[in-house]
Amino acid sequence: MNTYLMYGTFILLGLLLVCWFINLILVQKKGEPSLWASRGLYVFGLLAVVLNAVRVGMTAKTYPGTLVFANIVAFICILIAFIRMEKEHKNKGRE
């Protein structure tokens, strides 16, 4: 089970990097990132953190609570950034 969770985390991080590269290229060409690639960044990041937290909680022998807490903090930070991006996009559409 641990191996599947680890591979799932790596796959999600790979997808996150693909979205990041798409946005990097679009910003250089057009000056602004893709909304869907940006959303992909956040969603894949959130899912990767959740999988990693589950994996750490199941396998860590020392300080599993601290490691899971670190993943929870990362999840909250990514979620707040995602919400801010969505609010900014919503407010940008009203102008």
Side-chain angles (χ1 to χ4, degrees):
M1 183 70 167
N2 179 35
T3 305
Y4 295 123
L5 291 172
M6 185 176 62
Y7 288 149
T9 302
F10 286 147
I11 290 169
L12 288 168
L13 290 175
L15 292 170
L16 185 142
L17 285 174
V18 168
C19 291
W20 184 76
F21 280 122
I22 290 169
N23 271 345
L24 181 67
I25 292 167
L26 287 175
V27 166
Q28 289 179 348
K29 288 185 177 182
K30 296 182 180 179
E32 65 180 41
S34 163
L35 176 63
W36 289 103
S38 296
R39 286 177 178 164
L41 277 167
Y42 290 110
V43 170
F44 294 139
L46 289 170
L47 292 173
V49 169
V50 168
L51 283 182
N52 192 51
V54 170
R55 186 184 68 81
V56 166
M58 289 174 37
T59 61
K61 303 265 190 274
T62 57
Y63 307 113
T66 305
L67 296 173
V68 170
F69 180 72
N71 280 285
I72 291 170
V73 170
F75 181 86
I76 292 170
C77 290
I78 295 170
L79 184 63
I80 289 170
F82 183 44
I83 291 168
R84 285 183 179 177
M85 187 218 35
E86 287 295 322
K87 282 184 181 178
E88 182 180 310
H89 175 70
K90 189 175 184 182
N91 291 335
K92 192 176 183 182
R94 290 182 183 172
E95 295 174 356

